[in-house]
Each structure stands twice: as C-alpha cells, then as structure tokens.
Amino acid sequence: MKRFACGDVVAGCNWTMQVADEGELMSLIADHVAEAHGITTIDDELVAVVREHIQLVS
Ligand SMILES: [Zn+2]
C-alpha cells in the first residue's frame, strides 16, 4: 500500500490517503489539493515533493 499524509507537505492539513496504486494515489491527491487547498496546477515540482512523502506501508 502507498500512503500519503497531506500534513507532511501542507502544515495543518490532516487529510491522509492510502491505496494500493501510486497512480491512483496521485489522482486522489490532485483532487484533494484542488478541493481543499485551491491548487489546481500540479507541476513537476509539486509531483516531486508529493512523491518524496509517499510512504510504503504493508
Ligand atoms: Zn491537504
């Protein structure tokens, strides 16, 4: 499973998501940051930051 805690990147956000597929996770993260943080442009830099914070969990 891949897990992402938004609070690792955006201070104060307590949204977390855990799914099997990293592509699906990125898509869910994109939906979340657009809805909760008003970030509608996911550029390479943001993708890199998000990837750094994705944890592999069993
Ligand atoms: Zn968030």
Side-chain angles (χ1 to χ4, degrees):
M1 296 290 278
K2 307 283 179 98
R3 182 177 184 278
F4 177 74
C6 191
D8 289 348
V9 178
V10 182
C13 184
N14 59 10
W15 185 86
T16 63
M17 183 52 66
Q18 186 172 310
V19 292
D21 179 71
E22 185 170 323
E24 189 187 348
L25 182 57
M26 291 303 292
S27 151
L28 290 164
I29 292 166
D31 288 348
H32 166 73
V33 298
E35 198 174 300
H37 305 300
I39 301 167
T40 53
T41 306
I42 310 294
D43 58 18
D44 290 350
E45 196 179 336
L46 184 55
V47 169
V49 169
V50 166
R51 283 227 169 95
E52 266 174 36
H53 289 88
I54 291 176
Q55 302 155 359
L56 195 57
V57 292
S58 52

